[in-house]
Amino acid sequence: MKPLNSTYAQLGTTVFEVMSGLAREHRAINLGQGFPDGRGPEDVLRVAAETLLDGWNQYPPMMGLPELRQAVAAHEKRFYSLDVDWQAEVMVTSGATEALAASLFAVIEPGDEIVVIQPFYDAYVPLIRRAGGVPRFVTLTAPDWTLTREALAAAFSPRTKAIVLNNPLNPAARVFSRAELELVAEFVEGADAVAICDEVYEHLVFDGRRHIPLLTLPGMRGRCLKIGSAGKTFSLTGWKVGYITGAPELLSLVAKAHQFLTFTTPPNLQSAVAYGLGKDDGYFAALATGMQAKRDRLGAGLRAAGFEVLDSQGTYFLNVDIASTGFDGDDLAFCRRMTEAAGVTAIPVSAFYERDPVRTVVRFCFCKEDSVLDEAMDRLARQLAKVA
Ligand code: PMP
Ligand code: GLN
């Protein structure tokens, strides 16, 4: 048999699957892979159940159910004062992951350079390579993870076709400032490029911060594909319902890629997400404040256990720097040891880099029941000595 596709032949299994497997093997508390352990909003679940039983269960329209596309447009207006034409500028996808795949496949011609910020969500680079693109990395480092003009200037070139911008940024838990976004906009415009904006954590920003979509900056309306995920906004990560907002010239091409990837997304889930996006402002505010309280709970416990805790401005995640623990090994070794010795699993942040990784930062997920966080912190406090 001839060799199969080299991009995939060279890839390992995603770190989330590996660490969740290790957690199962050692019966450890899994603060690795980012998923909430609650049930999700009861009313949204009920709409999904009722429309499954009483509604249409055949192919919905390729662009998505009108009610969900209208709800996405209304959401963009409510939160970001954006006027969006739901028919020409909104498409539903099977999760943000499919939205990313469709966007990258629609934008990239073989040989195009795509700017990617490290640390990155691990789906980006294989998708870029599979489409024939060449990733160019902008490297951020702990503890500030700041985007600078110098780093962007080194990555952008006349061959830049697009940037993938994840804001709020998993795993660094950064929410980029307006000044950083203005820099990105300047480079995108300067290169006559596109921005694929992964904003799945748009409603998970803390301490009174406001999420600013790149698409709302001057000059960016026609250059951005803004991607959202019901998984994060309704704490239902298994649903895999995503949505893209973008100018018709961009979105129409993304729709062509989407029609031959998944084509559609289960209709009852679309109806439930349409209902959910219409929930009152209180729901969205409580999602952020509830998650912020969990961040603080875990942060206090990790600090008390002796960890150096980094700032978490958004997302589901909180990072610690293990350099000061005296552990003789890198972040991956630390995560393995912590799973085996303390019974708590986290994710090594070096997995989110392709080159020159940060090797002393470990990511914990805090979107868990308080009792689970408390038990994890007890275990860590009791056994940090054994881990380190
Ligand atoms: N982008 C980022 C940054 C993520 O953390 C996730 C979560 N898995 C995704 C995309 C994928 O979202 P979805 O589950 O909707 O495909
Ligand atoms: N986004 C999740 C995380 O960062 C994991 C998604 C996955 O398992 N593919 O933990």
Side-chain angles (χ1 to χ4, degrees):
M1 206 163 57
K2 297 195 173 74
L4 302 185
N5 180 263
S6 58
T7 299
Y8 295 119
Q10 285 162 22
L11 270 184
T13 304
T14 160
V15 67
F16 305 115
E17 191 71 21
V18 171
M19 296 313 291
S20 287
L22 203 65
R24 277 192 296 275
E25 189 187 321
H26 293 277
R27 297 178 194 281
I29 296 176
N30 190 356
L31 301 186
Q33 194 175 30
F35 61 91
D37 60 0
R39 250 172 77 79
E42 192 66 28
D43 52 350
V44 175
L45 292 173
R46 291 219 168 272
V47 176
E50 282 156 17
T51 46
L52 180 81
L53 291 172
D54 303 333
W56 175 256
N57 282 298
Q58 308 307 330
Y59 295 129
M62 186 271 279
M63 293 294 283
L65 286 186
E67 65 191 271
L68 177 51
R69 295 163 69 205
Q70 286 159 6
V72 172
H75 168 276
E76 306 297 56
K77 179 78 180 170
R78 167 155 56 137
F79 290 100
Y80 311 119
S81 305
L82 275 170
D83 287 309
V84 171
D85 172 354
W86 70 269
Q87 302 205 62
E89 298 188 305
V90 179
M91 185 173 75
V92 177
T93 59
S94 291
T97 309
E98 199 244 329
L100 285 160
S103 300
L104 290 165
F105 292 173
V107 164
I108 295 173
E109 276 280 275
D112 284 345
E113 293 186 2
I114 310 297
V115 175
V116 178
I117 294 168
Q118 305 190 106
F120 48 70
Y121 182 58
D122 70 348
Y124 302 156
V125 173
L127 287 169
I128 290 168
R129 293 221 163 95
R130 191 64 193 91
V134 180
R136 294 280 179 230
F137 296 104
V138 171
T139 302
L140 305 187
T141 51
D144 297 328
W145 318 100
T146 305
L147 256 178
T148 63
R149 174 178 293 282
E150 296 67 39
L152 287 167
F156 271 83
S157 87
R159 288 178 304 282
T160 303
K161 185 69 155 290
I163 181 171
V164 182
L165 183 72
N166 177 209
N167 182 37
L169 179 65
N170 173 13
R174 261 312 306 284
V175 175
F176 292 119
S177 66
R178 181 171 286 277
E180 287 169 299
L181 295 173
E182 281 169 355
L183 264 182
V184 173
E186 184 187 319
F187 277 92
V188 168
E189 213 160 23
D192 200 13
V194 171
I196 297 170
C197 303
D198 179 345
E199 303 186 6
V200 300
Y201 298 103
E202 62 189 326
H203 290 293
L204 293 163
V205 298
F206 310 136
D207 308 314
R209 285 185 180 78
R210 284 180 62 82
H211 172 68
I212 307 171
L214 186 69
L215 190 144
T216 59
L217 266 63
M220 289 296 101
R221 183 70 174 81
R223 295 190 181 275
C224 292
L225 289 159
K226 173 181 181 291
I227 296 174
S229 169
K232 316 295 177 198
T233 297
F234 301 104
S235 307
L236 295 163
T237 58
W239 277 21
K240 302 297 279 190
V241 178
Y243 22 88
I244 314 184
T245 303
E249 304 72 46
L250 289 174
L251 192 71
S252 54
L253 258 273
V254 181
K256 295 206 176 143
H258 163 74
Q259 69 184 340
F260 297 131
L261 283 169
T262 59
F263 182 64
T264 53
T265 300
N268 67 315
L269 300 183
Q270 292 195 48
S271 295
V273 172
Y275 163 83
L277 287 175
K279 281 168 79 75
D280 61 19
D281 292 354
Y283 167 78
F284 296 89
L287 177 69
T289 52
M291 220 51 98
Q292 181 179 319
K294 291 185 180 300
R295 175 202 66 176
D296 292 342
R297 193 178 192 96
L298 182 65
L302 291 174
R303 230 170 264 119
F307 283 106
E308 183 189 336
V309 177
L310 306 184
D311 196 21
S312 163
Q313 304 172 345
T315 74
Y316 284 158
F317 309 113
L318 184 68
N319 295 297
V320 300
D321 195 324
I322 58 167
S324 60
T325 61
F327 179 72
D328 182 23
D330 63 7
D331 55 343
L332 178 59
F334 187 88
C335 288
R336 286 186 179 281
R337 184 94 185 88
M338 199 168 60
T339 301
E340 291 157 7
V344 179
T345 300
I347 299 278
V349 166
S350 59
F352 299 82
Y353 285 77
E354 170 147 320
R355 57 182 62 128
D356 307 324
V358 166
R359 290 228 182 257
T360 61
V361 179
V362 166
R363 190 195 83 172
F364 288 87
C365 173
F366 51 73
C367 54
K368 305 292 177 189
E369 297 294 343
D370 288 349
S371 58
V372 173
L373 295 177
D374 291 348
E375 172 61 22
M377 291 181 295
D378 277 357
R379 291 185 185 190
L380 286 171
R382 275 199 308 273
Q383 305 213 21
L384 186 64
K386 286 192 204 169
V387 175

